[in-house]
Amino acid sequence: MAYTLVLLPGDGTGPEVMREAVKVLKAVQDSFGVSFDTFPFPAGGQYYMDTGAEWPDGAFESCKAADAILLGAVGLPDVSLPNGDLAGVGVVFGLRFGLDLYANVRPTKLYPNVLHKVHEHFKQVWEPGKVDFVIVRENTEGLYTPARGFLSRGGIDELAVDSRIITRKGAERVIRYAFELSTRRKGAPSDGTHRVTCVDKSNVTAGCKLFRRIYDEVASDYPGVHRDYAYIDAFQQWLLRSPEAYDVAVTSNVFGDIATDLAAVLQGGMGMAAGGNIGDAHAMFEPIHGSSPKHAGKDEVNPIAMILATQMMLDWLGRRKKDAALREAATAVEMAVERHLAEGKALTYDLGGKARCSEVGSAIAAAIPKIAKRSA
Ligand code: IPM
Ligand code: MG
């Protein structure tokens, strides 16, 4: 059975990391007896400059018809739409809102031999295995609800407003996603406890009060998962101090946006951080880094975030289609990444090495058939 994948390489370093993801997909095809029909589409700032549209007609419909979507990165400096938005961001939001991808799932895991990006002094404290949590970010409402605007009365009367919408439906489904995810995991590294942390600002905002109330309702369906609460400000501090205490955290849109960039520091930086935008019927997977134009065309960025996004896609699709081969492939891809890092021979600059992006991708892809053979 062939799965249909839409590939959106995008701008800057997006196409470079996507090439490495494609090597991994080929290795998976060869080793696990699954097949992928891939449909690439241009999208982003460059495409906007060339055509006046952020992506081609029909691209969204193809995404909707596909089994899954992989995105590299979109956006170029100073390439904006007439309303001031960065060109290409409409693609990301078009998918998140248009396909109702309500859970933005961002794992933070520190792999062997990867230094987190704070200060070397902390290296001994945070051993691999001690950082292994997932932040589940609400992805379709909150401060990102497109209900905003300016009122230009000139001078000091100028006004801008953003609406932070929290709905019962939006909160309920993402919180339930977080609890389901926790039941499938090993628990927090510190004590093996399945724990879902509700991250909010319910000491102040109405939306967060509703979010926390719904969290409690949903939590009562999961007696095996420990309840935990944190205000977003304190959460940021605790996350840095004791990452091992966390299993899954669930939060509203903009808090999740901020917390996940911070969390990436604990896993070796943005070059290691992958995410899935997941709904009930569709999903799009992406590295959470941007298009980093200053590194573009140099074959020097870390493709591992993109490869781990591909790994998440294989796992999601395997569960959705009840296809054991895909799930085994997902396990093998993660193993290949883990071994590659443990070996530490070909690392990109962000991990302290000198390897090319393409070398890292090739090495990880080459390890997949060997892992498949051993587990067969
Ligand atoms: C992310 C990004 C996006 C977001 C930007 C590019 C709109 O920061 O995926 O975290 O804010 O969601
Ligand atoms: Mg972000």
Side-chain angles (χ1 to χ4, degrees), residues 107-111 114-115 264 267-274 287-289 302-306 308 337 341 348 350-351:
T108 301
K109 186 166 173 180
L110 183 64
Y111 286 99
V114 176
L115 304 188
Q267 67 186 145
M270 297 299 268
M272 297 297 297
I288 77 171
H289 60 65
N302 189 350
I304 292 180
M306 183 77 231
L308 289 173
V337 168
L341 291 164
T348 43
D350 56 314
L351 301 181

Short mmCIF file of all heavy atoms in Angstrom, two decimals, residues 107-111 114-115 264 267-274 287-289 302-306 308 337 341 348 350-351:
data_model
loop_
_atom_site.label_atom_id
_atom_site.label_comp_id
_atom_site.label_asym_id
_atom_site.label_seq_id
_atom_site.Cartn_x
_atom_site.Cartn_y
_atom_site.Cartn_z
N PRO A 107 8.05 17.28 21.16
CA PRO A 107 8.87 16.51 22.12
C PRO A 107 10.20 17.21 22.38
O PRO A 107 10.81 17.77 21.47
CB PRO A 107 9.12 15.18 21.40
CG PRO A 107 8.27 15.20 20.17
CD PRO A 107 7.99 16.62 19.84
N THR A 108 10.63 17.16 23.60
CA THR A 108 11.97 17.64 23.96
C THR A 108 12.71 16.48 24.58
O THR A 108 12.34 15.99 25.64
CB THR A 108 11.88 18.79 24.98
OG1 THR A 108 11.12 19.85 24.41
CG2 THR A 108 13.27 19.30 25.33
N LYS A 109 13.72 16.01 23.86
CA LYS A 109 14.47 14.86 24.35
C LYS A 109 15.94 15.12 24.12
O LYS A 109 16.34 15.53 23.03
CB LYS A 109 14.00 13.62 23.55
CG LYS A 109 14.57 12.32 24.02
CD LYS A 109 13.78 11.18 23.40
CE LYS A 109 14.41 9.84 23.70
NZ LYS A 109 13.65 8.73 23.10
N LEU A 110 16.72 14.91 25.16
CA LEU A 110 18.17 15.10 25.03
C LEU A 110 18.80 13.75 24.71
O LEU A 110 18.76 12.83 25.53
CB LEU A 110 18.75 15.68 26.33
CG LEU A 110 20.25 16.00 26.31
CD1 LEU A 110 20.58 17.10 25.30
CD2 LEU A 110 20.72 16.43 27.70
N TYR A 111 19.35 13.64 23.52
CA TYR A 111 19.96 12.37 23.09
C TYR A 111 21.41 12.29 23.58
O TYR A 111 22.03 13.31 23.88
CB TYR A 111 19.90 12.27 21.56
CG TYR A 111 18.52 11.98 21.05
CD1 TYR A 111 17.69 13.00 20.57
CD2 TYR A 111 18.00 10.69 21.07
CE1 TYR A 111 16.40 12.74 20.11
CE2 TYR A 111 16.73 10.41 20.63
CZ TYR A 111 15.94 11.44 20.15
OH TYR A 111 14.67 11.16 19.71
N VAL A 114 24.74 14.78 23.12
CA VAL A 114 24.31 16.13 22.72
C VAL A 114 24.34 17.00 23.96
O VAL A 114 23.78 16.64 24.99
CB VAL A 114 22.88 16.10 22.14
CG1 VAL A 114 22.41 17.52 21.81
CG2 VAL A 114 22.82 15.22 20.89
N LEU A 115 25.03 18.11 23.85
CA LEU A 115 25.06 19.04 24.97
C LEU A 115 23.86 19.95 24.86
O LEU A 115 23.58 20.45 23.77
CB LEU A 115 26.33 19.88 24.94
CG LEU A 115 27.66 19.15 24.92
CD1 LEU A 115 28.80 20.15 25.08
CD2 LEU A 115 27.70 18.11 26.04
N ALA A 264 13.72 23.84 23.62
CA ALA A 264 14.69 23.35 22.63
C ALA A 264 16.12 23.49 23.14
O ALA A 264 17.00 22.70 22.78
CB ALA A 264 14.51 24.09 21.30
N GLN A 267 17.55 20.42 24.63
CA GLN A 267 17.80 19.25 23.79
C GLN A 267 18.88 19.52 22.76
O GLN A 267 19.02 18.77 21.80
CB GLN A 267 16.50 18.78 23.13
CG GLN A 267 15.93 19.72 22.10
CD GLN A 267 14.57 19.30 21.56
OE1 GLN A 267 13.73 20.13 21.28
NE2 GLN A 267 14.33 18.02 21.39
N GLY A 268 19.63 20.59 22.95
CA GLY A 268 20.74 20.85 22.03
C GLY A 268 20.42 21.89 20.99
O GLY A 268 21.17 22.06 20.02
N GLY A 269 19.31 22.58 21.14
CA GLY A 269 19.02 23.68 20.24
C GLY A 269 17.98 23.35 19.20
O GLY A 269 17.48 22.22 19.10
N MET A 270 17.68 24.37 18.38
CA MET A 270 16.59 24.24 17.41
C MET A 270 16.89 23.19 16.34
O MET A 270 15.97 22.65 15.73
CB MET A 270 16.32 25.59 16.73
CG MET A 270 15.87 26.68 17.68
SD MET A 270 14.32 26.27 18.52
CE MET A 270 13.14 26.99 17.40
N GLY A 271 18.14 22.89 16.12
CA GLY A 271 18.50 21.87 15.13
C GLY A 271 18.06 20.47 15.53
O GLY A 271 18.14 19.53 14.73
N MET A 272 17.61 20.33 16.77
CA MET A 272 17.19 19.02 17.27
C MET A 272 15.69 18.94 17.52
O MET A 272 15.18 17.90 17.92
CB MET A 272 17.92 18.72 18.59
CG MET A 272 19.42 18.61 18.49
SD MET A 272 19.96 17.26 17.45
CE MET A 272 19.30 15.86 18.35
N ALA A 273 14.98 20.07 17.33
CA ALA A 273 13.59 20.14 17.82
C ALA A 273 12.57 19.96 16.70
O ALA A 273 12.51 20.74 15.76
CB ALA A 273 13.37 21.49 18.50
N ALA A 274 11.77 18.90 16.83
CA ALA A 274 10.76 18.59 15.82
C ALA A 274 9.37 18.77 16.40
O ALA A 274 9.18 18.77 17.62
CB ALA A 274 10.93 17.15 15.35
N PRO A 287 10.25 20.66 11.35
CA PRO A 287 11.20 21.06 12.39
C PRO A 287 10.69 22.39 12.93
O PRO A 287 10.07 23.14 12.18
CB PRO A 287 12.50 21.26 11.62
CG PRO A 287 12.09 21.54 10.21
CD PRO A 287 10.76 20.87 9.98
N ILE A 288 10.93 22.69 14.19
CA ILE A 288 10.36 23.96 14.67
C ILE A 288 11.27 25.15 14.39
O ILE A 288 10.90 26.28 14.63
CB ILE A 288 9.85 23.88 16.14
CG1 ILE A 288 10.97 23.93 17.18
CG2 ILE A 288 9.03 22.63 16.36
CD1 ILE A 288 10.41 24.07 18.59
N HIS A 289 12.48 24.88 13.86
CA HIS A 289 13.33 26.01 13.48
C HIS A 289 12.77 26.68 12.24
O HIS A 289 11.93 26.12 11.53
CB HIS A 289 14.77 25.54 13.24
CG HIS A 289 14.94 24.52 12.15
ND1 HIS A 289 14.69 24.77 10.83
CD2 HIS A 289 15.36 23.22 12.21
CE1 HIS A 289 14.96 23.69 10.10
NE2 HIS A 289 15.35 22.73 10.91
N ASN A 302 21.81 21.49 10.66
CA ASN A 302 21.53 20.17 11.23
C ASN A 302 20.19 19.64 10.67
O ASN A 302 19.16 20.25 10.90
CB ASN A 302 21.45 20.33 12.75
CG ASN A 302 21.38 19.00 13.46
OD1 ASN A 302 21.20 17.96 12.83
ND2 ASN A 302 21.50 19.04 14.77
N PRO A 303 20.21 18.51 9.98
CA PRO A 303 18.95 17.98 9.44
C PRO A 303 18.18 17.13 10.44
O PRO A 303 17.12 16.59 10.11
CB PRO A 303 19.43 17.11 8.27
CG PRO A 303 20.74 16.56 8.74
CD PRO A 303 21.37 17.66 9.59
N ILE A 304 18.71 17.00 11.67
CA ILE A 304 18.10 16.02 12.59
C ILE A 304 16.69 16.43 13.01
O ILE A 304 15.80 15.59 13.12
CB ILE A 304 19.03 15.73 13.79
CG1 ILE A 304 20.27 14.98 13.26
CG2 ILE A 304 18.32 14.90 14.86
CD1 ILE A 304 21.29 14.61 14.32
N ALA A 305 16.44 17.74 13.19
CA ALA A 305 15.06 18.15 13.55
C ALA A 305 14.09 17.70 12.46
O ALA A 305 13.01 17.16 12.75
CB ALA A 305 14.99 19.66 13.74
N MET A 306 14.49 17.88 11.20
CA MET A 306 13.62 17.46 10.08
C MET A 306 13.48 15.94 10.05
O MET A 306 12.39 15.41 9.77
CB MET A 306 14.23 17.97 8.77
CG MET A 306 13.40 17.68 7.53
SD MET A 306 11.99 18.79 7.35
CE MET A 306 10.66 17.65 7.12
N LEU A 308 13.71 13.94 12.63
CA LEU A 308 12.85 13.55 13.75
C LEU A 308 11.39 13.91 13.47
O LEU A 308 10.47 13.21 13.92
CB LEU A 308 13.33 14.18 15.06
CG LEU A 308 14.64 13.60 15.61
CD1 LEU A 308 15.11 14.41 16.82
CD2 LEU A 308 14.49 12.12 16.00
N VAL A 337 19.06 7.80 14.54
CA VAL A 337 19.47 9.14 15.00
C VAL A 337 20.27 9.01 16.30
O VAL A 337 21.34 9.61 16.45
CB VAL A 337 18.23 10.04 15.21
CG1 VAL A 337 18.61 11.33 15.96
CG2 VAL A 337 17.57 10.37 13.88
N LEU A 341 24.22 10.01 16.90
CA LEU A 341 24.66 11.01 17.87
C LEU A 341 25.63 10.40 18.88
O LEU A 341 26.63 11.01 19.26
CB LEU A 341 23.44 11.61 18.58
CG LEU A 341 22.55 12.48 17.68
CD1 LEU A 341 21.19 12.71 18.34
CD2 LEU A 341 23.22 13.81 17.37
N THR A 348 26.93 18.34 12.92
CA THR A 348 26.96 19.68 12.32
C THR A 348 27.47 20.70 13.35
O THR A 348 27.60 20.41 14.53
CB THR A 348 25.55 20.06 11.82
OG1 THR A 348 24.59 19.67 12.80
CG2 THR A 348 25.24 19.40 10.49
N ASP A 350 26.31 23.14 14.94
CA ASP A 350 25.52 23.49 16.14
C ASP A 350 25.74 22.47 17.26
O ASP A 350 25.46 22.77 18.43
CB ASP A 350 24.04 23.58 15.79
CG ASP A 350 23.52 22.31 15.15
OD1 ASP A 350 24.19 21.77 14.24
OD2 ASP A 350 22.44 21.83 15.56
N LEU A 351 26.22 21.27 16.90
CA LEU A 351 26.50 20.26 17.92
C LEU A 351 28.00 20.13 18.15
O LEU A 351 28.48 19.16 18.72
CB LEU A 351 25.90 18.91 17.51
CG LEU A 351 24.37 18.87 17.29
CD1 LEU A 351 23.92 17.47 16.90
CD2 LEU A 351 23.62 19.34 18.53
#
